[in-house]
Amino acid sequence: MRLSLDFKYSQKFIDEKTLVRLKNEAIEASKSLQAKTGKGNDFLGWMDLPSRMKAQTERIQSLANSIRLNSEVLIVIGIGGSYLGAKSGIHFLKHHFYNELSAEKRDGPAIFFAGTNMSPQYLKDLIDLIGDRSFSLNVISKSGTTTEPAIAFRFLKSELEKRYGKDLKDRIFLTTDPDRGALTGMAKNEGYEKLVIDPSVGGRFSVLSPVGLLPLAVAGVDINALLSGAEAAMKDVDNTYDENPMLQYAVVRNHLYQSGFKIEMMINYEPRLHFLAEWWKQLYGESEGKEHKGIFPASASYTTDLHSLGQYVQDGERHLFQTLLHVEESAAGMVIQGTADDLDKLNYLEGKTLDYVNKKAEEATLQAHYDGGVPNIIVKMEKADTYNLGYLFYFFEYACGVSAYMLDVNPFDQPGVETYKSNMFKLLGKPNV
Ligand code: PA5
């Protein structure tokens, strides 16, 4: 087990009888995931993805190497599950200022994301930012029909054509469905390299497929180590409850939900974890928010947000609980030095590391929020490395499947997303809607 859960700061909100009932429900939900008898059982391809993908890493790595060689910039085009995994992985594993580093220090192309919105200014600024640097595109869309990435691709492809002409086979890499969608047609017509998303893997469960793996490999991430971490979690799903963090997480969050805590805030004290919470929000929001049910997933990055949301969390309406991602090891020493005049009155911290101060802020906040009526689940990991990230991705995916089954909703569809789209298409005059 690569991570552990600590419920010390949620104990007083846990009632033994409810816990036992929910444990049994979670065990049943897990069995039905594994037997493929539950709702949405044609979308369970993510469950053995970590082992299956190992056969594809050589090709993914070789495409990544060619992008690393011919491009100073990679633009990843995709939205929702087609970008959040890669983005969160790069933030989690790479330098905080990866894109701003000089090319030598960065050791890989700068990586930017497009197709995540429809802002014209964003796209103009992105094109401006690329400037005269060489660049390639990884267009990711499972359906191949999503409007935001399709529009971004049109603009960025025309930028590529201006520089490199019509033959863009070594500049455009598509990640999409094996047979369907506009990108599949383009791959055939234009001869672009195409990586396939297994039709039984939904977008928000696709980070461990080529969707996440190609951009991560371009950033220099060891994708085999990532898959090994995920594989370890995959094996842990068979553990008994006490050795099974996925079941424990699903049970306690459902217990808190049933006790009136309708909002779960994913909390971190390390900015590198910020985008993992964005990925998690999509995973849980789109999987559970159905039939007028579901925990609302929110997030905050501390200590930054203690200076904005902290007041509400401490004293506002008692309808939220927090899930803290705690990283034990800190990378840099950063020891606080004493000064002769002590004008900033910080000499009392002389000799302490910045991590020590950060961890004390975490401890103090946990206690304060707990005392104020906010339950906290702590997800503890030794260090924020590639292997543990793989574990974490799978951990959250599996727990999400179990948790949604406990709510009796289908975790793998997203019917609610269609309503705004069909309104928008009518307003835009799209034919045949
Ligand atoms: O989880 C999902 O299925 C969605 O959020 C999709 O990832 C998102 O809508 C993008 O879809 P596509 O990859 O088909 O462009």
Side-chain angles (χ1 to χ4, degrees):
M1 216 162 66
R2 292 299 288 213
L3 54 86
S4 58
L5 300 193
D6 184 343
F7 300 111
K8 182 172 150 207
Y9 292 99
S10 41
Q11 228 158 26
K12 69 180 176 194
F13 303 96
I14 304 291
D15 136 73
E16 204 46 43
K17 227 173 122 192
T18 312
L19 195 71
V20 171
R21 174 175 55 80
L22 292 173
K23 265 185 200 176
N24 291 331
E25 282 183 24
I27 291 166
E28 284 314 306
S30 177
K31 277 185 194 158
S32 109
L33 265 182
Q34 293 191 33
K36 302 193 190 310
T37 51
K39 293 183 175 172
N41 55 7
D42 44 346
F43 277 99
L44 296 176
W46 57 273
M47 286 181 65
D48 59 353
L49 208 50
S51 327
R52 276 197 291 136
M53 281 314 298
K54 286 214 159 157
Q56 286 187 45
T57 52
E58 214 172 299
R59 172 159 182 250
I60 295 173
Q61 193 60 60
S62 121
L63 294 179
N65 290 346
S66 67
I67 297 172
R68 285 168 66 84
L69 278 175
N70 77 357
S71 302
E72 293 163 279
V73 173
L74 172 70
I75 309 286
V76 178
I77 302 179
I79 196 164
S82 289
Y83 97 102
L84 283 163
K87 174 128 177 158
S88 69
I90 291 167
H91 276 255
F92 189 98
L93 296 170
K94 304 302 287 188
H95 194 286
H96 277 102
F97 304 99
Y98 177 79
N99 280 334
E100 286 80 23
L101 289 174
S102 66
E104 301 75 52
K105 271 192 160 178
R106 197 190 314 114
D107 179 34
I111 300 182
F112 300 106
F113 292 85
T116 59
N117 57 63
M118 288 203 266
S119 159
Q121 194 60 50
Y122 180 94
L123 209 49
K124 276 175 91 162
D125 290 352
L126 181 61
I127 292 166
D128 184 41
L129 179 70
I130 301 168
D132 55 12
R133 287 184 283 180
S134 55
F135 76 103
S136 293
L137 303 178
N138 179 202
V139 190
I140 309 176
S141 178
K142 190 181 169 204
S143 60
T145 56
T146 308
T147 313
E148 291 90 334
I151 291 179
F153 184 28
R154 235 187 217 215
F155 279 104
L156 289 163
K157 187 179 167 196
S158 106
E159 288 302 313
L160 278 178
E161 282 173 354
K162 281 183 210 159
R163 290 159 194 231
Y164 306 108
K166 290 277 176 200
D167 183 1
L168 295 170
K169 285 200 261 308
D170 58 348
R171 300 262 157 210
I172 293 182
F173 301 83
L174 307 178
T175 309
T176 191
D177 184 271
D179 309 304
R180 294 177 311 124
L183 294 183
T184 292
M186 282 188 204
K188 270 188 201 137
N189 284 354
E190 312 282 340
Y192 301 144
E193 288 282 358
K194 176 179 146 174
L195 287 159
V196 159
I197 312 171
D198 181 335
S200 67
V201 177
R204 57 192 172 275
F205 287 83
S206 69
V207 58
L208 299 166
S209 78
V211 170
L213 296 181
L214 181 61
L216 287 168
V218 173
V221 170
D222 178 351
I223 54 174
N224 281 305
L226 188 83
L227 291 171
S228 296
E231 229 177 345
M234 197 176 123
K235 287 181 184 139
D236 283 351
V237 304
D238 293 324
N239 292 357
T240 55
Y241 183 82
D242 289 339
E243 297 290 317
N244 192 324
M246 292 117 217
L247 295 189
Q248 293 170 11
Y249 176 55
V251 164
V252 174
R253 63 194 295 280
N254 272 291
H255 184 318
L256 295 171
Y257 178 60
Q258 289 183 12
S259 310
F261 298 102
K262 306 282 185 195
I263 299 167
E264 177 175 9
M265 275 175 72
M266 179 67 69
I267 301 303
N268 69 75
Y269 283 79
E270 286 290 344
R272 55 169 42 196
L273 304 180
H274 174 84
F275 275 98
L276 190 75
E278 297 301 312
W279 170 82
W280 167 88
K281 282 196 280 194
Q282 190 218 356
L283 179 64
Y284 280 75
E286 256 183 22
S287 300
E288 292 192 320
K290 281 155 206 175
E291 302 172 31
H292 297 178
K293 293 190 266 192
I295 300 169
F296 181 78
S299 66
S301 289
Y302 291 164
T303 59
T304 311
D305 292 332
L306 287 175
H307 298 261
S308 56
L309 298 171
Q311 169 61 37
Y312 189 101
V313 176
Q314 188 68 47
D315 272 346
E317 190 170 344
R318 304 297 68 185
H319 56 172
L320 59 87
F321 67 97
Q322 302 187 113
T323 295
L324 165 68
L325 282 178
H326 169 93
V327 183
E328 200 47 53
E329 189 186 82
S330 156
M334 303 294 283
V335 177
I336 298 169
Q337 304 295 318
T339 61
D341 50 19
D342 193 25
L343 283 177
D344 54 10
K345 303 282 178 258
L346 285 176
N347 272 3
Y348 77 102
L349 293 173
E350 187 177 346
K352 301 279 192 281
T353 63
L354 188 48
D355 185 55
Y356 171 85
V357 179
N358 198 22
K359 294 272 185 339
K360 288 295 165 205
E362 181 182 307
E363 198 182 318
T365 308
L366 274 168
Q367 191 64 55
H369 289 172
Y370 184 57
D371 292 344
V374 177
N376 289 272
I377 299 172
I378 309 177
V379 178
K380 287 185 173 168
M381 80 198 118
E382 215 30 59
K383 47 181 170 179
D385 64 7
T386 312
Y387 186 94
N388 283 344
L389 177 62
Y391 193 104
L392 211 49
F393 277 142
Y394 196 91
F395 159 81
F396 279 124
E397 287 178 356
Y398 195 85
C400 181
V402 171
S403 200
Y405 277 179
M406 292 170 76
L407 283 170
D408 195 22
V409 296
N410 178 355
F412 309 114
D413 65 0
Q414 51 283 327
V417 185
E418 295 312 312
T419 319
Y420 96 87
K421 286 187 192 167
S422 76
N423 282 355
M424 178 180 75
F425 291 142
K426 270 183 217 142
L427 291 174
L428 289 171
K430 185 177 178 177
N432 311 320
V433 259

mmCIF file of all heavy atoms in Angstrom, residues 318-356:
data_model
loop_
_atom_site.group_PDB
_atom_site.id
_atom_site.type_symbol
_atom_site.label_atom_id
_atom_site.label_comp_id
_atom_site.label_asym_id
_atom_site.label_seq_id
_atom_site.Cartn_x
_atom_site.Cartn_y
_atom_site.Cartn_z
ATOM 1 N N ARG A 318 -21.955 24.716 8.037
ATOM 2 C CA ARG A 318 -21.272 23.419 8.285
ATOM 3 C C ARG A 318 -21.772 22.365 7.302
ATOM 4 O O ARG A 318 -22.474 21.443 7.647
ATOM 5 C CB ARG A 318 -21.515 22.936 9.734
ATOM 6 C CG ARG A 318 -21.124 23.887 10.881
ATOM 7 C CD ARG A 318 -19.662 24.201 10.960
ATOM 8 N NE ARG A 318 -19.210 25.005 9.826
ATOM 9 C CZ ARG A 318 -17.945 25.329 9.621
ATOM 10 N NH1 ARG A 318 -17.011 24.912 10.424
ATOM 11 N NH2 ARG A 318 -17.598 26.063 8.580
ATOM 12 N N HIS A 319 -21.388 22.529 6.054
ATOM 13 C CA HIS A 319 -21.818 21.541 5.045
ATOM 14 C C HIS A 319 -20.636 21.003 4.243
ATOM 15 O O HIS A 319 -20.812 20.402 3.212
ATOM 16 C CB HIS A 319 -22.886 22.130 4.107
ATOM 17 C CG HIS A 319 -22.428 23.393 3.415
ATOM 18 N ND1 HIS A 319 -23.139 23.994 2.423
ATOM 19 C CD2 HIS A 319 -21.325 24.148 3.583
ATOM 20 C CE1 HIS A 319 -22.496 25.077 2.026
ATOM 21 N NE2 HIS A 319 -21.398 25.186 2.705
ATOM 22 N N LEU A 320 -19.416 21.282 4.722
ATOM 23 C CA LEU A 320 -18.282 20.769 3.955
ATOM 24 C C LEU A 320 -17.295 19.991 4.800
ATOM 25 O O LEU A 320 -17.158 20.225 5.993
ATOM 26 C CB LEU A 320 -17.589 21.900 3.183
ATOM 27 C CG LEU A 320 -16.996 23.099 3.897
ATOM 28 C CD1 LEU A 320 -15.562 22.824 4.322
ATOM 29 C CD2 LEU A 320 -17.014 24.285 2.938
ATOM 30 N N PHE A 321 -16.656 19.031 4.119
ATOM 31 C CA PHE A 321 -15.529 18.327 4.727
ATOM 32 C C PHE A 321 -14.336 18.466 3.800
ATOM 33 O O PHE A 321 -14.479 18.851 2.632
ATOM 34 C CB PHE A 321 -15.855 16.854 5.025
ATOM 35 C CG PHE A 321 -16.082 15.963 3.835
ATOM 36 C CD1 PHE A 321 -15.061 15.162 3.336
ATOM 37 C CD2 PHE A 321 -17.321 15.899 3.227
ATOM 38 C CE1 PHE A 321 -15.278 14.308 2.255
ATOM 39 C CE2 PHE A 321 -17.551 15.049 2.137
ATOM 40 C CZ PHE A 321 -16.528 14.257 1.656
ATOM 41 N N GLN A 322 -13.159 18.198 4.344
ATOM 42 C CA GLN A 322 -11.941 18.389 3.550
ATOM 43 C C GLN A 322 -11.201 17.066 3.399
ATOM 44 O O GLN A 322 -11.201 16.244 4.314
ATOM 45 C CB GLN A 322 -11.028 19.410 4.226
ATOM 46 C CG GLN A 322 -11.711 20.754 4.418
ATOM 47 C CD GLN A 322 -10.771 21.831 4.934
ATOM 48 O OE1 GLN A 322 -10.465 22.775 4.240
ATOM 49 N NE2 GLN A 322 -10.331 21.674 6.148
ATOM 50 N N THR A 323 -10.582 16.891 2.240
ATOM 51 C CA THR A 323 -9.676 15.765 2.026
ATOM 52 C C THR A 323 -8.306 16.356 1.749
ATOM 53 O O THR A 323 -8.107 17.063 0.753
ATOM 54 C CB THR A 323 -10.167 14.888 0.857
ATOM 55 O OG1 THR A 323 -11.421 14.313 1.241
ATOM 56 C CG2 THR A 323 -9.183 13.766 0.562
ATOM 57 N N LEU A 324 -7.408 16.129 2.692
ATOM 58 C CA LEU A 324 -6.071 16.713 2.592
ATOM 59 C C LEU A 324 -5.117 15.731 1.923
ATOM 60 O O LEU A 324 -5.000 14.576 2.330
ATOM 61 C CB LEU A 324 -5.572 17.041 4.007
ATOM 62 C CG LEU A 324 -4.082 17.336 4.153
ATOM 63 C CD1 LEU A 324 -3.712 18.644 3.463
ATOM 64 C CD2 LEU A 324 -3.683 17.402 5.625
ATOM 65 N N LEU A 325 -4.418 16.194 0.894
ATOM 66 C CA LEU A 325 -3.347 15.396 0.296
ATOM 67 C C LEU A 325 -2.063 15.787 1.017
ATOM 68 O O LEU A 325 -1.566 16.901 0.841
ATOM 69 C CB LEU A 325 -3.202 15.733 -1.191
ATOM 70 C CG LEU A 325 -4.211 15.123 -2.141
ATOM 71 C CD1 LEU A 325 -3.944 15.610 -3.561
ATOM 72 C CD2 LEU A 325 -4.152 13.603 -2.110
ATOM 73 N N HIS A 326 -1.560 14.873 1.823
ATOM 74 C CA HIS A 326 -0.393 15.192 2.644
ATOM 75 C C HIS A 326 0.843 14.498 2.066
ATOM 76 O O HIS A 326 0.847 13.286 1.875
ATOM 77 C CB HIS A 326 -0.646 14.717 4.075
ATOM 78 C CG HIS A 326 0.570 14.742 4.946
ATOM 79 N ND1 HIS A 326 0.890 15.823 5.738
ATOM 80 C CD2 HIS A 326 1.552 13.825 5.143
ATOM 81 C CE1 HIS A 326 2.008 15.565 6.392
ATOM 82 N NE2 HIS A 326 2.441 14.367 6.053
ATOM 83 N N VAL A 327 1.880 15.283 1.784
ATOM 84 C CA VAL A 327 3.135 14.708 1.287
ATOM 85 C C VAL A 327 4.160 14.784 2.412
ATOM 86 O O VAL A 327 4.467 15.871 2.916
ATOM 87 C CB VAL A 327 3.666 15.478 0.062
ATOM 88 C CG1 VAL A 327 4.922 14.818 -0.481
ATOM 89 C CG2 VAL A 327 2.611 15.571 -1.015
ATOM 90 N N GLU A 328 4.669 13.604 2.811
ATOM 91 C CA GLU A 328 5.581 13.561 3.943
ATOM 92 C C GLU A 328 6.911 14.250 3.629
ATOM 93 O O GLU A 328 7.345 15.145 4.332
ATOM 94 C CB GLU A 328 5.815 12.088 4.338
ATOM 95 C CG GLU A 328 6.323 11.851 5.735
ATOM 96 C CD GLU A 328 5.572 12.638 6.804
ATOM 97 O OE1 GLU A 328 4.338 12.555 6.852
ATOM 98 O OE2 GLU A 328 6.241 13.361 7.596
ATOM 99 N N GLU A 329 7.525 13.821 2.521
ATOM 100 C CA GLU A 329 8.878 14.300 2.232
ATOM 101 C C GLU A 329 8.846 15.666 1.547
ATOM 102 O O GLU A 329 8.019 15.934 0.699
ATOM 103 C CB GLU A 329 9.544 13.299 1.290
ATOM 104 C CG GLU A 329 11.008 13.558 1.076
ATOM 105 C CD GLU A 329 11.587 12.613 0.023
ATOM 106 O OE1 GLU A 329 11.439 12.891 -1.175
ATOM 107 O OE2 GLU A 329 12.154 11.582 0.415
ATOM 108 N N SER A 330 9.800 16.508 1.923
ATOM 109 C CA SER A 330 9.903 17.800 1.250
ATOM 110 C C SER A 330 11.198 17.816 0.460
ATOM 111 O O SER A 330 12.230 17.325 0.919
ATOM 112 C CB SER A 330 9.901 18.906 2.296
ATOM 113 O OG SER A 330 10.532 20.049 1.793
ATOM 114 N N ALA A 331 11.147 18.384 -0.749
ATOM 115 C CA ALA A 331 12.310 18.327 -1.629
ATOM 116 C C ALA A 331 13.474 19.195 -1.146
ATOM 117 O O ALA A 331 14.586 18.723 -0.969
ATOM 118 C CB ALA A 331 11.891 18.748 -3.030
ATOM 119 N N ALA A 332 13.210 20.458 -0.886
ATOM 120 C CA ALA A 332 14.332 21.366 -0.640
ATOM 121 C C ALA A 332 14.504 21.657 0.846
ATOM 122 O O ALA A 332 13.525 21.758 1.585
ATOM 123 C CB ALA A 332 14.075 22.658 -1.406
ATOM 124 N N GLY A 333 15.762 21.806 1.297
ATOM 125 C CA GLY A 333 16.055 22.091 2.698
ATOM 126 C C GLY A 333 15.475 23.414 3.167
ATOM 127 O O GLY A 333 14.633 23.463 4.047
ATOM 128 N N MET A 334 15.887 24.507 2.548
ATOM 129 C CA MET A 334 15.394 25.861 2.845
ATOM 130 C C MET A 334 15.321 26.134 4.356
ATOM 131 O O MET A 334 14.233 26.275 4.940
ATOM 132 C CB MET A 334 14.021 26.099 2.205
ATOM 133 C CG MET A 334 13.968 25.908 0.705
ATOM 134 S SD MET A 334 14.945 27.104 -0.230
ATOM 135 C CE MET A 334 13.903 28.540 -0.159
ATOM 136 N N VAL A 335 16.532 26.211 4.956
ATOM 137 C CA VAL A 335 16.589 26.455 6.406
ATOM 138 C C VAL A 335 16.513 27.960 6.676
ATOM 139 O O VAL A 335 17.172 28.768 6.014
ATOM 140 C CB VAL A 335 17.895 25.874 6.991
ATOM 141 C CG1 VAL A 335 18.011 26.178 8.480
ATOM 142 C CG2 VAL A 335 17.954 24.373 6.726
ATOM 143 N N ILE A 336 15.715 28.353 7.655
ATOM 144 C CA ILE A 336 15.554 29.781 7.975
ATOM 145 C C ILE A 336 16.760 30.248 8.798
ATOM 146 O O ILE A 336 17.088 29.652 9.834
ATOM 147 C CB ILE A 336 14.227 30.016 8.727
ATOM 148 C CG1 ILE A 336 13.059 29.608 7.809
ATOM 149 C CG2 ILE A 336 14.097 31.466 9.193
ATOM 150 C CD1 ILE A 336 11.719 29.536 8.498
ATOM 151 N N GLN A 337 17.403 31.299 8.308
ATOM 152 C CA GLN A 337 18.596 31.824 8.982
ATOM 153 C C GLN A 337 18.207 32.928 9.975
ATOM 154 O O GLN A 337 17.244 33.653 9.738
ATOM 155 C CB GLN A 337 19.567 32.445 7.949
ATOM 156 C CG GLN A 337 19.981 31.495 6.822
ATOM 157 C CD GLN A 337 20.796 30.300 7.328
ATOM 158 O OE1 GLN A 337 21.662 30.456 8.179
ATOM 159 N NE2 GLN A 337 20.497 29.111 6.825
ATOM 160 N N GLY A 338 18.980 33.062 11.054
ATOM 161 C CA GLY A 338 18.766 34.172 11.976
ATOM 162 C C GLY A 338 19.368 35.454 11.411
ATOM 163 O O GLY A 338 20.245 35.402 10.556
ATOM 164 N N THR A 339 18.907 36.617 11.865
ATOM 165 C CA THR A 339 19.544 37.887 11.463
ATOM 166 C C THR A 339 19.889 38.653 12.732
ATOM 167 O O THR A 339 19.260 38.451 13.791
ATOM 168 C CB THR A 339 18.600 38.760 10.598
ATOM 169 O OG1 THR A 339 17.429 39.071 11.366
ATOM 170 C CG2 THR A 339 18.188 38.048 9.320
ATOM 171 N N ALA A 340 20.882 39.568 12.633
ATOM 172 C CA ALA A 340 21.356 40.285 13.818
ATOM 173 C C ALA A 340 20.265 41.187 14.389
ATOM 174 O O ALA A 340 20.065 41.252 15.607
ATOM 175 C CB ALA A 340 22.586 41.103 13.442
ATOM 176 N N ASP A 341 19.502 41.851 13.506
ATOM 177 C CA ASP A 341 18.519 42.825 14.025
ATOM 178 C C ASP A 341 17.128 42.220 14.270
ATOM 179 O O ASP A 341 16.334 42.778 15.002
ATOM 180 C CB ASP A 341 18.410 44.020 13.054
ATOM 181 C CG ASP A 341 18.209 43.575 11.608
ATOM 182 O OD1 ASP A 341 17.787 42.405 11.412
ATOM 183 O OD2 ASP A 341 18.455 44.366 10.687
ATOM 184 N N ASP A 342 16.819 41.102 13.671
ATOM 185 C CA ASP A 342 15.506 40.432 13.805
ATOM 186 C C ASP A 342 14.337 41.400 13.571
ATOM 187 O O ASP A 342 13.315 41.363 14.274
ATOM 188 C CB ASP A 342 15.382 39.777 15.197
ATOM 189 C CG ASP A 342 14.178 38.803 15.260
ATOM 190 O OD1 ASP A 342 13.768 38.281 14.204
ATOM 191 O OD2 ASP A 342 13.652 38.579 16.361
ATOM 192 N N LEU A 343 14.511 42.265 12.575
ATOM 193 C CA LEU A 343 13.458 43.261 12.318
ATOM 194 C C LEU A 343 12.120 42.623 11.950
ATOM 195 O O LEU A 343 11.061 43.161 12.272
ATOM 196 C CB LEU A 343 13.899 44.216 11.188
ATOM 197 C CG LEU A 343 14.904 45.303 11.583
ATOM 198 C CD1 LEU A 343 15.314 46.113 10.374
ATOM 199 C CD2 LEU A 343 14.328 46.197 12.683
ATOM 200 N N ASP A 344 12.164 41.498 11.262
ATOM 201 C CA ASP A 344 10.904 40.845 10.877
ATOM 202 C C ASP A 344 10.401 39.876 11.954
ATOM 203 O O ASP A 344 9.406 39.171 11.757
ATOM 204 C CB ASP A 344 11.054 40.113 9.524
ATOM 205 C CG ASP A 344 12.225 39.138 9.513
ATOM 206 O OD1 ASP A 344 12.797 38.883 10.603
ATOM 207 O OD2 ASP A 344 12.576 38.634 8.430
ATOM 208 N N LYS A 345 11.106 39.845 13.084
ATOM 209 C CA LYS A 345 10.697 39.031 14.254
ATOM 210 C C LYS A 345 10.539 37.540 13.905
ATOM 211 O O LYS A 345 9.633 36.859 14.404
ATOM 212 C CB LYS A 345 9.363 39.549 14.849
ATOM 213 C CG LYS A 345 9.407 41.006 15.267
ATOM 214 C CD LYS A 345 10.126 41.185 16.587
ATOM 215 C CE LYS A 345 10.244 42.618 17.026
ATOM 216 N NZ LYS A 345 11.564 43.242 16.798
ATOM 217 N N LEU A 346 11.431 37.068 13.067
ATOM 218 C CA LEU A 346 11.346 35.648 12.680
ATOM 219 C C LEU A 346 12.471 34.811 13.282
ATOM 220 O O LEU A 346 12.572 33.625 12.987
ATOM 221 C CB LEU A 346 11.366 35.504 11.142
ATOM 222 C CG LEU A 346 10.088 35.874 10.398
ATOM 223 C CD1 LEU A 346 10.297 35.769 8.883
ATOM 224 C CD2 LEU A 346 8.929 34.960 10.811
ATOM 225 N N ASN A 347 13.306 35.428 14.135
ATOM 226 C CA ASN A 347 14.442 34.658 14.671
ATOM 227 C C ASN A 347 14.013 33.450 15.500
ATOM 228 O O ASN A 347 14.771 32.521 15.682
ATOM 229 C CB ASN A 347 15.344 35.559 15.513
ATOM 230 C CG ASN A 347 16.406 36.248 14.645
ATOM 231 O OD1 ASN A 347 16.401 36.065 13.423
ATOM 232 N ND2 ASN A 347 17.274 37.031 15.253
ATOM 233 N N TYR A 348 12.780 33.482 15.984
ATOM 234 C CA TYR A 348 12.320 32.316 16.762
ATOM 235 C C TYR A 348 12.239 31.054 15.899
ATOM 236 O O TYR A 348 12.159 29.945 16.415
ATOM 237 C CB TYR A 348 10.975 32.614 17.447
ATOM 238 C CG TYR A 348 9.759 32.555 16.550
ATOM 239 C CD1 TYR A 348 8.906 31.461 16.547
ATOM 240 C CD2 TYR A 348 9.456 33.624 15.701
ATOM 241 C CE1 TYR A 348 7.788 31.406 15.723
ATOM 242 C CE2 TYR A 348 8.353 33.579 14.877
ATOM 243 C CZ TYR A 348 7.527 32.463 14.883
ATOM 244 O OH TYR A 348 6.423 32.416 14.062
ATOM 245 N N LEU A 349 12.309 31.265 14.588
ATOM 246 C CA LEU A 349 12.274 30.107 13.676
ATOM 247 C C LEU A 349 13.666 29.731 13.173
ATOM 248 O O LEU A 349 13.796 28.857 12.304
ATOM 249 C CB LEU A 349 11.382 30.414 12.465
ATOM 250 C CG LEU A 349 9.891 30.570 12.747
ATOM 251 C CD1 LEU A 349 9.143 31.040 11.502
ATOM 252 C CD2 LEU A 349 9.297 29.237 13.234
ATOM 253 N N GLU A 350 14.685 30.387 13.717
ATOM 254 C CA GLU A 350 16.052 30.142 13.239
ATOM 255 C C GLU A 350 16.379 28.641 13.294
ATOM 256 O O GLU A 350 16.088 27.957 14.288
ATOM 257 C CB GLU A 350 17.052 30.908 14.112
ATOM 258 C CG GLU A 350 18.461 30.815 13.557
ATOM 259 C CD GLU A 350 19.453 31.630 14.384
ATOM 260 O OE1 GLU A 350 19.029 32.468 15.219
ATOM 261 O OE2 GLU A 350 20.661 31.400 14.188
ATOM 262 N N GLY A 351 16.938 28.146 12.195
ATOM 263 C CA GLY A 351 17.339 26.736 12.142
ATOM 264 C C GLY A 351 16.228 25.794 11.696
ATOM 265 O O GLY A 351 16.463 24.626 11.428
ATOM 266 N N LYS A 352 15.015 26.296 11.633
ATOM 267 C CA LYS A 352 13.898 25.447 11.186
ATOM 268 C C LYS A 352 13.804 25.494 9.653
ATOM 269 O O LYS A 352 14.104 26.505 9.035
ATOM 270 C CB LYS A 352 12.569 25.962 11.762
ATOM 271 C CG LYS A 352 12.524 25.999 13.280
ATOM 272 C CD LYS A 352 12.220 24.609 13.815
ATOM 273 C CE LYS A 352 11.882 24.587 15.279
ATOM 274 N NZ LYS A 352 13.061 24.676 16.178
ATOM 275 N N THR A 353 13.358 24.387 9.056
ATOM 276 C CA THR A 353 13.163 24.412 7.605
ATOM 277 C C THR A 353 11.799 25.019 7.288
ATOM 278 O O THR A 353 10.891 25.006 8.142
ATOM 279 C CB THR A 353 13.185 22.986 6.999
ATOM 280 O OG1 THR A 353 12.092 22.258 7.542
ATOM 281 C CG2 THR A 353 14.491 22.272 7.271
ATOM 282 N N LEU A 354 11.666 25.464 6.031
ATOM 283 C CA LEU A 354 10.382 26.014 5.600
ATOM 284 C C LEU A 354 9.319 24.907 5.611
ATOM 285 O O LEU A 354 8.144 25.149 5.908
ATOM 286 C CB LEU A 354 10.538 26.618 4.189
ATOM 287 C CG LEU A 354 9.362 27.413 3.638
ATOM 288 C CD1 LEU A 354 8.824 28.419 4.633
ATOM 289 C CD2 LEU A 354 9.784 28.139 2.355
ATOM 290 N N ASP A 355 9.759 23.675 5.316
ATOM 291 C CA ASP A 355 8.818 22.555 5.344
ATOM 292 C C ASP A 355 8.259 22.346 6.764
ATOM 293 O O ASP A 355 7.070 22.050 6.934
ATOM 294 C CB ASP A 355 9.520 21.271 4.863
ATOM 295 C CG ASP A 355 8.545 20.106 4.769
ATOM 296 O OD1 ASP A 355 7.529 20.260 4.069
ATOM 297 O OD2 ASP A 355 8.782 19.064 5.416
ATOM 298 N N TYR A 356 9.114 22.525 7.776
ATOM 299 C CA TYR A 356 8.671 22.388 9.161
ATOM 300 C C TYR A 356 7.540 23.406 9.438
ATOM 301 O O TYR A 356 6.501 23.060 10.010
ATOM 302 C CB TYR A 356 9.874 22.634 10.092
ATOM 303 C CG TYR A 356 9.533 22.742 11.553
ATOM 304 C CD1 TYR A 356 9.414 21.598 12.344
ATOM 305 C CD2 TYR A 356 9.324 23.991 12.144
ATOM 306 C CE1 TYR A 356 9.092 21.699 13.693
ATOM 307 C CE2 TYR A 356 9.006 24.097 13.488
ATOM 308 C CZ TYR A 356 8.888 22.951 14.267
ATOM 309 O OH TYR A 356 8.563 23.052 15.585
#
